[in-house]
Amino acid sequence: MERVLIIEDDELIAELERDYLEANGYETALAFDGITGEQKAKTEKYDAILLDVMLPGKTGFDVCRELRKSLRLPIIMVTAKKEDIDKIRGLGLGADDYLVKPFHIPELSARIRALTRRPTVISEKSSLQYHDLSLSLGRKELSCSENTIPLTPKEFLLMCAFLEKPDTILTREQLMQKVWETDAPIEQGNVDNYVYFLRKRLRTLNSGCSITASYGSGYLLEVCHDKKP
C-alpha cells in the first residue's frame, strides 16, 4: 500500500485529505508544521508528500528545498497563492506538481496517482544514452562525462521521453501523455516549465545537447550546433 505524508497546518483540511486518501487505498501520516514534516519525511518511508506552502516553523518552500537534497520521491505543493511566480518557485525547488486551494479532493487523488505510478520505460537496458548523455533508469540520475545530477520524478519521465526519441519533435500533447496520466488535470504550461528545468540541468552538466523548441509543434532533444564535433 502506498504511503502519503500530509504536511498541512490546517487540521480540518489535513483530516479531509487523510480520510479521502485512506478511503481510496492509501496509507497516510500527518504533520502540522514544517519542522515536524521534514523530520518525518527524512526518517520514515513514504511514496509521496503533500506539502502546504504556508506552514509554522518552516515554510513549505524551505522544506521542499531541504528534502530535495536527499529524497527523490514525488512532492505535491499546496497553497492558497495563485501567482505564477509562486508556482514556478515551487517547481524550481523540486516539487513535482502544484495545487491551488480550494481544489476538489478527487483531483488530489488523480495527481498522486499520476506521480506514484511506475514509469512506463520498457527496456532491458539499465540506462538510456544519446551523444554525451546517459540516464540511469534505476537511480534516476542524468550524467555527462564525469558529472552526474539526480532528477525529480517528473524530470526523469520527461528526460526518458526525449532520450527514447532523440532528434524527433515531440508535441506537448505527446509529452503530457508520456509523463502525466490522462485523467489528471494538467496545464500545458507545466510541460514548458519542466522543459525549462531540464535545460538548466543540461547546462549544469555542460552537455553538448539541448532541448530545442519547434515553434507551433513541440520540443526535440538534439546536439547543439555550436558544440558538434
Side-chain angles (χ1 to χ4, degrees), residues 32 67 70 83 122 124 142 193 207:
F32 300 110
L67 293 181
S70 58
E83 290 81 0
I122 303 174
E124 295 180 357
L142 185 63
N193 287 332
S207 171

Side-chain angles (χ1 to χ4, degrees), residues 125-225:
K125 299 180 180 180
S126 60
S127 64
L128 294 174
Q129 298 179 343
Y130 171 70
H131 191 54
D132 57 5
L133 293 174
S134 178
L135 178 65
S136 168
L137 302 182
R139 295 189 302 274
K140 296 181 175 59
E141 293 176 342
L142 185 63
S143 301
C144 177
S145 300
E146 300 300 319
N147 301 318
T148 299
I149 55 174
L151 300 181
T152 67
K154 277 289 176 285
E155 290 173 343
F156 170 71
L157 289 174
L158 189 59
M159 198 70 223
C160 282
F162 284 122
L163 287 172
E164 287 175 332
K165 293 185 177 180
D167 299 310
T168 301
I169 296 174
L170 300 175
T171 67
R172 287 179 176 83
E173 290 75 17
Q174 288 175 314
L175 293 171
M176 288 171 66
Q177 291 173 3
K178 178 72 177 179
V179 180
W180 287 270
E181 283 191 342
T182 55
D183 62 350
I186 300 297
E187 300 174 5
Q188 287 199 12
N190 277 7
V191 174
D192 300 326
N193 287 332
Y194 279 103
V195 167
Y196 170 76
F197 300 141
L198 281 183
R199 284 170 168 166
K200 291 180 64 176
R201 304 293 195 196
L202 294 179
R203 288 196 296 270
T204 298
L205 291 171
N206 195 29
S207 171
C209 300
S210 65
I211 298 174
T212 305
S214 176
Y215 183 74
S217 299
Y219 296 99
L220 74 155
L221 176 69
E222 63 179 355
V223 178
C224 298
H225 298 293

Side-chain angles (χ1 to χ4, degrees), residues 22-137:
E22 290 185 350
N24 282 270
Y26 293 93
E27 227 178 81
T28 64
L30 301 179
F32 300 110
D33 65 82
I35 295 174
T36 302
E38 182 181 310
Q39 291 174 340
K40 289 177 74 68
K42 288 182 175 180
T43 58
E44 301 172 12
K45 182 174 175 57
Y46 298 99
D47 297 289
I49 296 176
L50 186 61
L51 177 61
D52 190 34
V53 169
M54 302 304 293
L55 293 168
K58 199 168 188 178
T59 71
F61 289 134
D62 291 333
V63 172
C64 184
R65 180 187 294 108
E66 181 62 28
L67 293 181
R68 275 295 176 244
K69 294 178 181 179
S70 58
L71 298 177
R72 308 319 309 166
L73 76 167
I75 296 175
I76 300 176
M77 300 202 76
V78 180
T79 183
K81 295 184 176 181
K82 298 183 179 180
E83 290 81 0
D84 286 342
I85 189 171
D86 292 303
K87 179 177 181 179
I88 293 172
R89 180 184 178 190
L91 296 175
L93 290 172
D96 296 283
D97 208 342
Y98 203 97
L99 279 171
V100 176
K101 298 177 182 177
F103 57 86
H104 296 293
I105 294 295
E107 179 182 353
L108 170 61
S109 180
R111 299 290 184 98
I112 293 175
R113 187 165 61 252
L115 286 169
T116 57
R117 68 186 173 92
R118 296 183 63 183
T120 55
V121 178
I122 303 174
S123 175
E124 295 180 357
K125 299 180 180 180
S126 60
S127 64
L128 294 174
Q129 298 179 343
Y130 171 70
H131 191 54
D132 57 5
L133 293 174
S134 178
L135 178 65
S136 168
L137 302 182

